[in-house]
Amino acid sequence: VADEDEVLAANRGFYEAFQKLDARAMANVWSEGHSVSCVHPSGPLLHGREAVLTSFREMFRSTSSMRFVLRGARAFVANDAAWVVLFEEIEARHDEAVVRATTQATNVFVRERGAWRMVHHHAEPAAANKTKPVSSLN
Amino acid sequence: VADEDEVLAANRGFYEAFQKLDARAMANVWSEGHSVSCVHPSGPLLHGREAVLTSFREMFRSTSSMRFVLRGARAFVANDAAWVVLFEEIEARHDEAVVRATTQATNVFVRERGAWRMVHHHAEPAAANKTKPVSSLN
């Protein structure tokens, strides 16, 4: 398996934990050996494992369901570091309210004992003109 | 000098090259040994050294002056990889037009032969509520 494929698998693991609103799986996604940081859409810079994981736990508590469609994910590897750039199409339900958004994200990973762990997530609302319609034919 | 300080210095080098509209200095900022990628505000994902450097050359050609004020820059280091998160306050002049914008950026660096070189730049327009006024007193 190429490094890039391993990184994309780790990246999918992040969105699977997110979609399942699974705080334990999310904790496993993030590095334990290195500094970590996170910028949620329209949010401040969070740093430190506890602050980052707390932000997800709080989000999961206030969310009834979350669905991601990932588009254009591309992985880049430099030795034991890697980053993925992608578009996230998000549909989140909070009780009765449904929030839909498209964000563009950079996710950074570091290889720790052979496993790619997330060290940084930065998602920002994507500009409207970057959003291409998803064809229903493919 | 702590690794974080070295990374912040490399990060400043990126904005100095940008501000001077200096394509040669910009080429020196970016890694030659690894894949590189770049997302300009409201732009697509660019990848490959040639595509990334061309994007800067074209921007420099169409810009008469560029000024950056950097706020809240924070560096994180994991072995030979590092990333900086910061706000960029940009004032760009294109002939008569002046464009002002605040973006939040993630910049990723890799240590190559002892020097930190940029491998990824991702800047997106910052949400209005993330922009704190700069105090005139400090």
Side-chain angles (χ1 to χ4, degrees):
Chain A
V1 184
D3 281 348
E4 282 78 4
D5 293 336
E6 285 182 11
V7 172
L8 288 173
N11 189 65
R12 278 194 300 277
F14 168 69
Y15 290 100
E16 281 161 15
F18 212 148
Q19 201 163 247
K20 287 180 185 158
L21 309 173
D22 182 337
R24 191 169 301 185
M26 184 56 85
N28 282 332
V29 165
W30 287 82
S31 168
E32 293 175 274
H34 295 287
S35 300
V36 300
S37 56
C38 183
V39 179
H40 295 295
S42 306
L45 170 64
L46 305 173
H47 53 90
R49 187 173 160 88
E50 200 40 49
V52 170
L53 294 182
T54 297
S55 75
F56 284 101
R57 275 197 303 271
E58 288 175 355
M59 209 184 308
F60 293 172
R61 255 200 299 272
S62 67
T63 304
S64 14
S65 81
M66 176 91 73
R67 238 184 82 73
F68 282 98
V69 176
L70 307 180
R71 287 195 302 106
R74 190 164 180 128
F76 302 88
V77 177
N79 305 327
D80 288 331
W83 61 103
V84 177
V85 185
L86 77 167
F87 289 97
E88 313 164 331
E89 290 176 3
I90 309 167
E91 185 184 285
R93 285 165 198 272
H94 313 277
D95 298 324
E96 299 301 294
V98 181
V99 177
R100 290 189 183 83
T102 298
T103 55
Q104 190 167 24
T106 288
N107 297 325
V108 185
F109 297 85
V110 169
R111 184 155 34 196
E112 282 178 29
R113 298 181 208 159
W116 292 100
R117 310 286 294 274
M118 185 172 269
V119 288
H120 180 58
H121 167 66
H122 181 174
E124 293 278 356
N129 62 359
K130 288 195 291 190
T131 309
K132 292 188 199 132
V134 175
S135 165
S136 58
L137 291 176
N138 61 90
Chain B
V1 184
D3 281 348
E4 282 78 6
D5 293 335
E6 285 182 11
V7 171
L8 288 173
N11 189 65
R12 279 194 300 275
F14 168 69
Y15 291 100
E16 280 162 15
F18 212 149
Q19 200 162 249
K20 287 179 184 160
L21 309 173
D22 183 337
R24 190 168 301 185
M26 184 56 84
N28 282 332
V29 166
W30 286 82
S31 168
E32 292 175 275
H34 295 288
S35 301
V36 300
S37 56
C38 183
V39 179
H40 295 296
S42 306
L45 170 63
L46 304 173
H47 53 88
R49 188 172 159 87
E50 200 40 47
V52 171
L53 294 183
T54 297
S55 76
F56 284 101
R57 276 197 303 271
E58 288 175 355
M59 208 185 306
F60 293 173
R61 256 202 297 272
S62 67
T63 304
S64 14
S65 81
M66 178 91 75
R67 238 184 83 74
F68 283 97
V69 175
L70 307 180
R71 286 195 301 107
R74 191 162 180 129
F76 302 88
V77 177
N79 305 326
D80 289 331
W83 60 103
V84 176
V85 185
L86 77 168
F87 288 97
E88 314 164 330
E89 291 175 2
I90 308 169
E91 185 184 284
R93 284 164 199 270
H94 313 276
D95 298 325
E96 298 301 293
V98 180
V99 178
R100 289 190 183 83
T102 299
T103 55
Q104 189 166 26
T106 288
N107 296 324
V108 185
F109 297 84
V110 170
R111 184 153 36 194
E112 284 178 28
R113 298 180 207 158
W116 292 100
R117 310 286 293 274
M118 185 172 269
V119 289
H120 180 59
H121 168 65
H122 181 174
E124 293 278 356
N129 63 359
K130 288 196 291 191
T131 310
K132 291 188 199 132
V134 176
S135 165
S136 59
L137 291 176
N138 61 91

